[in-house]
Amino acid sequence: MLIVQTIAELKACLNGEREQGHSVGLVPTMGALHAGHASLVERSVKENDVTVVSIFLNPTQFNDKKDLERYPRTLEADCELLEKCGAQVVFAPSVEEVYPEPDTRVFSYPPTDSVMEGAFRPGHFNGVCQIVSKLFDYVEPDRAYFGEKDYQQICVIRRMVEDLKMDINIVACPVIREESGLARSSRNTLLSDDERQLAAHIYRVLSESRKKQMSVAETHDFVVSEIDAIEGLKVQYFSIVDGLTLADVSTWDDAESVVGCITVYCGAVPIRLIDHIRYK
């Protein structure tokens, strides 16, 4: 497995692969890798001749500096995991390599990027589009792999790819969950054992809501009240939306695909956790 830190090294490596007609898959990550990331890498390895994994903690998508400071950094362990998964290239650049000067580009795809995370984390998706578009330019992948845990992010990236007319297949991969149902996330490492048990209630309540015969409004209120009733958990938002546009729906028949997206604060020093569930 080759580990490169500069754009020039990355391009030189991939140019040789393309000259041989090899397909390239990209798995963009911010590091602190877990089984969810491993599943993306393993799928890319199966579907492409070469798999590139980027490890870059992107500062432009954090509107909270404390959140950026607390984000886990585990490069050595990440590389060990990626080698086991069969990745051929790891791109681990410095901030200076990616942003030699400030990126002033503005991306806007309402309502997809302006609701939910977009509303509560101003500038977040602009930062996501900045870094992902850069990675797509560097790697020029045939396919790029993203986990559905970050459901809204995938919707935004698809809009960006369409807008920039990039010939890249965005592959959405299923959420990988712990045995308790908790969605695997790099942020889970910040939770204590007791907090992990608390956090497992998020998906439990979401799953229960899908089994009940309730209206959209009743489902929303059920999920929020059930989770907020658990000491140590607090819902920031729960939105039931069109699975493509992310516009709010008022009835189950308003869209062909309906998804419930949630963000919950967990623990005494609150860790922000996201999840979602498909209703149809």
Side-chain angles (χ1 to χ4, degrees):
M1 187 178 74
L2 183 65
I3 301 173
V4 299
Q5 296 179 314
T6 69
I7 299 162
E9 288 177 294
L10 178 67
K11 285 181 173 288
C13 165
L14 294 178
N15 286 342
E17 297 292 344
R18 287 197 188 83
E19 287 172 3
Q20 299 178 63
H22 291 169
S23 60
V24 177
L26 170 65
V27 182
T29 83
M30 293 202 299
L33 305 185
H34 50 70
H37 295 107
S39 71
L40 306 183
V41 177
E42 288 165 355
R43 179 162 175 182
S44 178
V45 168
K46 287 179 182 177
E47 297 179 354
N48 302 279
D49 297 310
V50 179
T51 290
V52 179
V53 180
S54 62
I55 298 178
F56 181 67
L57 191 53
N58 178 40
T60 71
Q61 69 190 70
F62 285 83
N63 62 323
D64 182 346
K65 289 184 179 180
K66 290 182 179 178
D67 195 21
L68 175 60
E69 290 168 2
R70 285 196 296 177
Y71 202 91
R73 292 162 171 82
T74 57
L75 181 60
E76 185 176 342
D78 292 345
C79 289
E80 289 177 4
L81 174 64
L82 293 175
E83 191 157 27
K84 290 177 183 176
C85 292
Q88 287 92 346
V89 182
V90 174
F91 179 49
S94 66
V95 172
E96 293 74 22
E97 179 72 11
V98 175
Y99 296 109
E101 56 188 37
D103 191 338
T104 58
R105 293 175 299 159
V106 176
F107 299 83
S108 181
Y109 306 113
T112 311
D113 65 346
S114 59
V115 299
M116 301 187 300
E117 293 296 282
F120 284 92
R121 300 176 68 188
H124 169 67
F125 284 121
N126 197 66
V128 168
C129 289
Q130 286 177 347
I131 185 57
V132 173
S133 62
K134 281 176 175 283
L135 291 171
F136 285 176
D137 285 340
Y138 303 156
V139 177
E140 299 178 49
D142 297 282
R143 303 172 188 87
Y145 297 79
F146 296 88
E148 282 193 335
K149 183 184 76 67
D150 296 298
Y151 187 87
Q152 185 174 9
Q153 175 177 272
I154 294 174
C155 295
V156 172
I157 289 170
R158 282 183 168 146
R159 288 283 302 276
M160 182 194 75
V161 166
E162 181 181 352
D163 177 47
L164 300 180
K165 297 179 172 56
M166 292 178 158
D167 185 19
I168 299 171
N169 181 16
I170 303 301
V171 182
C173 301
V175 179
I176 302 299
R177 298 187 179 276
E178 298 182 3
E179 191 174 334
S180 67
L182 176 62
R184 289 194 179 273
S185 168
S186 301
R187 296 175 190 272
N188 292 358
T189 62
L190 303 175
L191 300 171
S192 68
D193 289 344
D194 288 343
E195 288 168 344
R196 286 176 97 98
Q197 291 180 22
L198 271 181
H201 289 293
I202 300 169
Y203 190 64
R204 176 186 63 77
V205 173
L206 289 175
S207 299
E208 286 180 10
S209 75
R210 191 165 54 182
K211 299 172 185 176
K212 296 180 179 291
Q213 300 295 318
M214 298 185 292
S215 68
V216 169
E218 289 168 339
T219 300
H220 172 275
D221 292 348
F222 170 81
V223 168
V224 173
S225 63
E226 287 289 309
I227 292 177
D228 281 352
I230 299 168
E231 186 175 354
L233 297 181
K234 178 64 179 177
V235 175
Q236 183 179 45
Y237 70 79
F238 176 52
S239 298
I240 301 176
V241 297
D242 182 313
L244 294 177
T245 68
L246 305 187
D248 285 336
V249 299
S250 55
T251 75
W252 300 116
D253 295 327
D254 283 352
E256 289 185 17
S257 169
V258 177
V259 177
C261 297
I262 195 166
T263 291
V264 179
Y265 285 105
C266 177
V269 180
I271 304 302
R272 195 171 182 274
L273 303 174
I274 64 173
D275 207 341
H276 77 279
I277 196 162
R278 289 184 180 273
Y279 288 107
K280 61 179 284 195

